[in-house]
């Protein structure tokens, strides 16, 4: 393993030395989600009875937080994490029309009980970490594929109106078990949407997003812990790039997609791209002084890619580009198996002004976030661990964040 001292103001890998894969994408700079109003209006959720699977996870919990002010008649949190359910229920003690159920999504009998009398479902329960799914592939199949099937069948049986499946950009041309299982989940939901009984009203759609910074198991808390300990900060490969978003942006994508969904499509938020090494450097430069450490003393250790890990990510495939719509903030992959005329009649999305597009977005072909942009994202709520976010707020030192590129 190679170990290097962190050197501010240095560039270890230029655009010229990176070798992109195939199709190039046009440059973009996606607008910030917080600067754009929700479309369509949030009145869609008023009076609705909503169930959130995986509701105590990072994204699930943020979805619940986002939904409560929108006037739902009832929100039900479903998870198999007993301690997480207890903690979340304590945090929301006294909140009306909110309840918590312990249930594994593969338990059909319990799922029928928790889905009873519900209108909408956000399906966020999953095994989401690449290394653990590589080590435990049968668990990934059981939860991410069989669990998705149980959720879908139960939703039809209980007469829910819409179900949204939360997927990942790792489902695009997957190289690992987690991404493959998420792709199968997407395909199952699309199939359920078109194989429903004539009398069924249930619609199924998907969302696909990138790395959620600050979520459980994300690289940000790992880097923060390593910096606090004096290093080294571990990188699997300095060339690695990722699409990234905050927890709030991830929840906004899922919530907004529910309101927009027609059935069978995949919604994707247009996300900024960063190089993981740039994220590490910006965090070292910004956090080390606040933690009483010299940034120059923090070593960076290159450990090599983990099994199944890609150097870049993609938001869609070349095949999907033939049935893609694009707006300022969203990409929408329309379902296969329909003619162009059928898709044009059904999938309009006038609220977001979606238009046909054939661009395939790859994280290694797009403009990278600058250190200043990375620093601004780190300052967003929920990205840094709470104690470090409080430290940052108490001691802003804007000149220390970020390091120069």
């Amino acid at each position: 393993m190679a170990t290097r001292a962190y050197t501010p103001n240095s560039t270890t890998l230029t655009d010229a030395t990176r070798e992109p894969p195939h199709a190039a994408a046009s440059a973009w700079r996606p607008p910030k989600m917080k600067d754009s109003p929700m479309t369509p209006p949030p009145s869609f959720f008023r009076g609705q009875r909503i169930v959130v699977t995986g509701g105590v996870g990072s994204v699930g919990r943020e979805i619940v937080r986002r939904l409560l002010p929108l006037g739902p008649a009832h929100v039900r949190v479903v998870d198999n994490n007993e301690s997480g359910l207890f903690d979340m229920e304590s945090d929301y003690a006294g909140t009306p029309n909110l309840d918590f159920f312990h249930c594994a999504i593969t338990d059909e009998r319990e799922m029928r009980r928790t889905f009873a009398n519900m209108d909408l479902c956000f399906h966020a329960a999953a095994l989401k970490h690449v290394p653990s799914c590589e080590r435990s592939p049968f668990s990934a199949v059981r939860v991410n594929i069989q669990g998705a099937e149980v959720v879908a069948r139960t939703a039809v049986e209980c007469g829910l109106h819409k179900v949204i499946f939360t997927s990942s950009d790792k489902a695009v041309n997957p190289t690992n078990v987690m991404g493959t299982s998420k792709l199968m989940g997407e395909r199952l939901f699309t199939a359920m949407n078109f194989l429903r009984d004539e009398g069924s009203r249930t619609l199924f759609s998907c969302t696909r997003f990138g790395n959620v910074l600050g979520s459980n198991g994300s690289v940000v808390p790992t880097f923060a812990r390593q910096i606090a300990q004096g290093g080294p900060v571990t990188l699997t490969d300095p060339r690695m790039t990722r699409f990234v978003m905050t927890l709030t942006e991830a929840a906004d994508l899922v919530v907004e997609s529910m309101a927009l969904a027609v059935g069978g499509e995949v919604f994707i938020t247009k996300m900024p791209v960063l190089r993981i090494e740039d994220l590490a450097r910006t965090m070292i430069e910004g956090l080390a002084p606040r933690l009483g450490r010299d940034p120059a003393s923090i070593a960076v250790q290159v450990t090599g890619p983990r099994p199944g890990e890609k150097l870049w990510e993609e938001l869609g495939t070349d095949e999907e580009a033939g049935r893609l719509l694009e707006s300022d903030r969203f990409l929408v992959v329309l379902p296969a198996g329909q003619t162009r005329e059928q898709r044009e009649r059904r999938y309009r999305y006038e609220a977001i002004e979606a238009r046909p597009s054939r661009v395939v977005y790859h994280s290694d072909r797009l403009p990278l976030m600058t250190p200043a942009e990375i620093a601004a994202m780190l300052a967003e709520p929920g990205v840094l661990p709470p104690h470090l976010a409080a430290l940052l707020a108490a001691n802003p030192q804007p000149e220390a964040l970020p390091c120069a590129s």
Side-chain angles (χ1 to χ4, degrees), residues 174-247:
T175 60
N176 50 62
V177 172
M178 194 281 276
T180 302
S181 67
K182 281 294 192 178
L183 175 59
M184 279 301 304
E186 287 187 11
R187 297 299 170 88
L188 281 171
F189 263 49
T190 299
M192 287 295 296
N193 191 77
F194 295 104
L195 296 176
R196 297 173 294 134
D197 294 335
E198 290 186 5
S200 172
R201 69 167 191 161
T202 310
L203 300 175
F204 297 91
S205 298
C206 304
T207 59
R208 186 187 291 166
F209 45 73
N211 285 35
V212 181
L213 296 182
S215 63
N216 293 332
S218 85
V219 72
V220 167
T222 299
F223 284 173
R225 183 179 67 255
Q226 292 172 339
I227 293 167
Q229 294 170 348
V233 172
T234 55
L235 294 174
T236 57
D237 192 300
R239 297 170 294 171
M240 193 168 289
T241 56
R242 290 292 183 266
F243 292 100
V244 294
M245 62 200 317
T246 66
L247 275 170

Side-chain angles (χ1 to χ4, degrees), residues 76-258:
R76 176 167 294 164
V77 177
V78 176
D79 208 293
N80 66 348
N81 182 343
E82 184 183 21
S83 297
L85 284 166
F86 177 84
D87 292 339
M88 188 172 177
E89 188 168 5
S90 298
D91 292 341
Y92 281 96
T95 302
N97 304 320
L98 175 66
D99 60 15
F100 300 82
F101 282 71
H102 182 274
C103 175
I105 59 170
T106 52
D107 186 334
E108 296 186 40
R109 184 175 62 181
E110 280 297 285
M111 288 297 289
R112 284 194 292 271
R113 186 169 74 95
T114 59
F115 274 33
N117 302 315
M118 294 287 110
D119 300 309
L120 308 173
C121 172
F122 293 92
H123 178 37
L127 298 183
K128 302 179 178 72
H129 302 301
V130 170
S132 63
C133 289
E134 290 296 302
R135 291 190 296 266
S136 306
F138 298 106
S139 295
V141 168
R142 185 179 69 254
V143 175
N144 293 356
I145 299 177
Q146 295 173 354
E149 180 186 5
V150 171
V151 167
R153 291 188 183 279
T154 306
V156 171
E157 183 178 336
C158 293
L160 273 67
H161 178 41
K162 288 186 181 182
V163 188
I164 292 288
F165 174 76
T166 57
S167 187
S168 164
D169 57 5
K170 291 177 175 58
V172 180
N173 294 322
T175 60
N176 50 62
V177 172
M178 194 281 276
T180 302
S181 67
K182 281 294 192 178
L183 175 59
M184 279 301 304
E186 287 187 11
R187 297 299 170 88
L188 281 171
F189 263 49
T190 299
M192 287 295 296
N193 191 77
F194 295 104
L195 296 176
R196 297 173 294 134
D197 294 335
E198 290 186 5
S200 172
R201 69 167 191 161
T202 310
L203 300 175
F204 297 91
S205 298
C206 304
T207 59
R208 186 187 291 166
F209 45 73
N211 285 35
V212 181
L213 296 182
S215 63
N216 293 332
S218 85
V219 72
V220 167
T222 299
F223 284 173
R225 183 179 67 255
Q226 292 172 339
I227 293 167
Q229 294 170 348
V233 172
T234 55
L235 294 174
T236 57
D237 192 300
R239 297 170 294 171
M240 193 168 289
T241 56
R242 290 292 183 266
F243 292 100
V244 294
M245 62 200 317
T246 66
L247 275 170
T248 299
E249 290 168 343
D252 281 348
L253 163 65
V254 181
V255 170
E256 199 160 346
S257 297
M258 176 69 83

Side-chain angles (χ1 to χ4, degrees), residues 235-300:
L235 294 174
T236 57
D237 192 300
R239 297 170 294 171
M240 193 168 289
T241 56
R242 290 292 183 266
F243 292 100
V244 294
M245 62 200 317
T246 66
L247 275 170
T248 299
E249 290 168 343
D252 281 348
L253 163 65
V254 181
V255 170
E256 199 160 346
S257 297
M258 176 69 83
L260 291 168
V262 176
E265 69 274 77
V266 179
F267 292 94
I268 309 163
T269 290
K270 296 165 73 171
M271 296 164 281
V273 177
L274 58 73
R275 189 164 51 207
I276 299 299
E277 183 175 23
D278 294 342
L279 173 63
R281 289 178 177 277
T282 302
M283 290 185 65
I284 290 171
E285 183 71 8
L287 293 180
R290 293 177 172 87
L291 295 170
R293 301 199 178 268
D294 179 3
S297 70
I298 306 292
V300 175

Side-chain angles (χ1 to χ4, degrees), residues 336-354:
Q338 293 185 324
T339 66
R340 183 183 300 274
E341 291 73 21
Q342 287 173 323
R343 289 196 289 263
E344 288 176 351
R345 284 198 302 269
R346 185 174 185 186
Y347 299 92
R348 295 183 179 275
Y349 310 109
E350 294 176 355
I352 58 174
E353 299 181 352

